[in-house]
Amino acid sequence: MLNPMTSRQCSKVACNNAAISTLTYDYADSMAVLGPLAQRREPHTYDLCEKHSQRLSAPQGWHIVRYSALGEVG
């Protein structure tokens, strides 16, 4: 069971895993940006678990930018 004060669930339907990253889109630049979990939930962003973060793909012609927190490897 997740503590709502300290963690959030993955935004993917039927996934109950804890979120570790936040996904945002920049439609003007055809870019998906995946970074460390944001401090708070924001409209138009998606929190993803490790599995869904690793499997992330973008539409043809789009780019994925992946940011890591300082000290993280990957």
Side-chain angles (χ1 to χ4, degrees):
M1 184 73 147
L2 292 174
N3 179 343
M5 298 303 290
T6 59
S7 62
R8 299 191 300 262
Q9 287 183 313
C10 183
S11 295
K12 290 287 192 172
V13 175
C15 182
N16 294 320
N17 294 325
I20 63 158
S21 60
T22 298
L23 173 66
T24 59
Y25 293 102
D26 181 342
Y27 291 95
D29 292 328
S30 301
M31 187 180 329
V33 181
L34 185 67
L37 186 64
Q39 290 184 359
R40 63 182 178 272
R41 187 179 299 270
E42 297 287 341
H44 311 294
T45 64
Y46 302 90
D47 296 332
L48 299 176
C49 66
E50 183 175 2
K51 179 178 90 171
H52 289 114
S53 294
Q54 291 175 352
R55 292 183 178 180
L56 177 67
S57 62
Q60 186 173 352
W62 280 57
H63 302 282
I64 299 175
V65 176
R66 296 176 187 265
Y67 288 101
S68 298
L70 292 176
E72 282 186 9
V73 178

